[in-house]
Amino acid sequence: MPRAVDRAKAATIGEAASQAQYEVLRAGREKVQQSAPRWRRVTDGNPCGFCAMVCSRGPAYRSADAAGQGRRYHAHCGCTVEPFFGDPSTWVPSPDEARFIEAYNASWKPGIDKWDLSDDIGAWLSDPANAVAQEAKASGLDLTGINAAKTTQEIGAELQKVIGTRGNVSGFDGAALDLERTRSAAEQTARMFDRYPEVNADVQVVKLGKPYAQAVGSRDGYDGSMGNLRLQISSAKLGKRSKVDEMFRHDAESGHFHAHGDTDPMSYIVSHEFGHLVDFAGRGQIAGTAPTPMALRVSAIKKQLLSDEGIVNINGREQFEWVKKNVSGYGQSNLDEQVAEAFADVIVNGDRAKPFSRLIHDEYVARLKERRG
Amino acid sequence: MARTPEGKRLTDAHKRAQIRLGALAAALTVENAKRLDVDDLDGTREAWLTTQAAIVEALRRRSEILAEDYLRAFWKAEGIKPSELAELDLKPAREVMAWVVPVIKTRKAKYAAGG
């Protein structure tokens, strides 16, 4: 059992690290804030009607406080404020903001008060008829061979051609595999290889039992060589009788995954598992030791975002809820799953990915580039 | 905030760079804690605090420089007339980190008493 003084030091240094982080960021933040004349509210991608209404006004606020800095207007509100420089009349709304303005214009009526108006804006935004379908970012990769393949064996052979010597493809020959589902998994796998050229891995369709798929890394760490990492996809989930679409839809609706009704399950699953592979690759030959430098950095980024929302206890219930909102339900499992979910979010949801996902993803990509030199 | 793709790119890059700096501050603080001997808090406090304050001050300056570079580049990319950069008046890092050792001592007493 640790001594009282060791426990006291560990607990206090954790808080000191958070404060050091805050104090450092404060310098840059205040420099920007004190040099900016106008403010606007920016949403977390899933705003309530009120935040959407405030956001739709653009840089109309004279202070960060007036734009609602630090205030949460809805459950799990992750909306923030940003400074705006220059003439406010030159503000050009982003596609999301244009949608909030459209919602505002559709909902405003003479004499309506701001609370009824924000309710109506929220209703307009959540109406599927007004929803903007999110398309996964298209890759410039040539997938013609996989698209044209007429059997699962041909799909496997075409995938092998695309990834070349970066991994061995196997298991794409089961008679029970569903052709289109297998094609979808292969296409997304090819895109991931294209997107992360630092990662080499074998791709295997195998019997896995419960998981949709899994990533396997060597205990000795990643040395960049072929066969060191494996992406394994469940043959049962790719099967003709698989209920993967229904299962995935249920998981997406419940918030277990940060996906939408029209998200292709295999794209999300492969992206998630590839996130684990990038995680392995980013760690280098120190897998199995904890905490790794990357884990420390991810943890620190998370602490910073938590502290921005006033959450101090990074192991408390609030943190747990924060992960569900800012990552996904599955991300609540552990930090490794948060990283993998962040990858799936960025790849599948593109510009609509959550801020945490974007930061984690970019941090890993930077780390991979560093390793490549 | 940005009207131009370059302005947006600069804003995103600045945010990421700042967050990385914050993460570095946290990691260095954990590393620097090795200087603090729990069996000799009074004797090791000064060396720890001096280094800790230097870490925070140095990274604060880097954070400020990042922000200044960002603002200048952003104004240029967006075609905005540059404003005067604000001068910051932050509390010295030594003062803001001074609570750490007293809190360890308080907690030590509390935990030793079964708290």
Side-chain angles (χ1 to χ4, degrees), chain A residues 14-294:
Chain A
E15 292 166 19
S18 294
Q19 188 179 4
Q21 189 174 9
Y22 172 80
E23 289 293 334
V24 165
L25 294 188
R26 182 183 197 171
R29 186 186 300 131
E30 293 205 3
K31 176 70 75 174
V32 173
Q33 288 184 357
Q34 291 180 25
S35 307
R38 291 277 186 153
W39 290 85
R40 68 189 195 94
R41 192 160 185 81
V42 287
T43 76
D44 58 4
N46 187 24
C48 65
F50 188 81
C51 285
M53 179 177 73
V54 176
C55 176
S56 73
R57 296 193 63 202
Y61 303 94
R62 289 280 180 191
S63 68
D65 194 49
Q69 175 162 265
R71 285 199 288 280
R72 297 185 217 181
Y73 291 112
H74 54 271
H76 308 304
C77 178
C79 302
T80 54
V81 300
E82 274 187 1
F84 183 85
F85 306 96
D87 181 352
S89 67
T90 62
W91 173 60
V92 179
S94 69
D96 269 351
E97 290 161 342
R99 200 164 151 259
F100 302 151
I101 294 169
E102 196 181 344
Y104 181 97
N105 291 336
S107 306
W108 186 85
K109 299 179 225 20
I112 191 169
D113 74 26
K114 67 178 177 182
W115 300 114
D116 286 343
L117 177 57
S118 62
D119 284 349
D120 290 353
I121 290 173
W124 190 96
L125 289 170
S126 58
D127 184 342
N130 299 322
V132 177
Q134 289 299 299
E135 299 293 333
K137 276 194 172 173
S139 164
L141 186 66
D142 182 5
L143 299 173
T144 316
I146 294 175
N147 283 329
K150 291 188 171 58
T151 65
T152 56
Q153 291 95 323
E154 285 177 18
I155 289 173
E158 290 299 328
L159 178 60
Q160 182 70 74
K161 279 187 204 167
V162 175
I163 70 174
T165 58
R166 292 172 60 197
N168 288 320
V169 176
S170 61
F172 281 70
D173 50 3
L177 298 184
D178 177 79
L179 185 66
E180 290 314 314
R181 206 169 277 138
T182 305
R183 192 192 311 279
S184 168
E187 284 176 351
Q188 190 64 10
T189 303
R191 288 191 194 104
M192 299 305 286
F193 270 88
D194 183 51
R195 188 163 176 159
Y196 305 102
E198 298 85 355
V199 179
N200 298 325
D202 289 342
V203 182
Q204 304 168 337
V205 176
V206 291
K207 280 188 182 175
L208 283 182
K210 201 175 173 190
Y212 291 101
Q214 66 184 23
V216 182
S218 160
R219 289 183 65 81
D220 299 327
Y222 181 64
D223 59 8
S225 64
M226 199 174 78
N228 198 241
L229 299 178
R230 279 169 284 158
L231 168 63
Q232 297 185 322
I233 304 168
S234 162
S235 54
K237 299 294 187 286
L238 284 182
K240 288 173 181 165
R241 297 173 64 189
S242 167
K243 301 281 184 199
V244 68
D245 298 300
E246 292 90 326
M247 288 164 64
F248 186 83
R249 197 174 305 122
H250 175 266
D251 282 341
E253 282 169 4
S254 68
H256 190 63
F257 295 134
H258 182 216
H260 304 288
D262 55 353
T263 301
D264 171 59
M266 296 320 299
S267 294
Y268 192 94
I269 293 160
V270 167
S271 303
H272 171 105
E273 299 306 338
F274 219 92
H276 282 304
L277 298 182
V278 175
D279 187 6
F280 282 125
R283 290 177 189 190
Q285 292 184 279
I286 49 170
T289 61
T292 64
M294 277 311 292

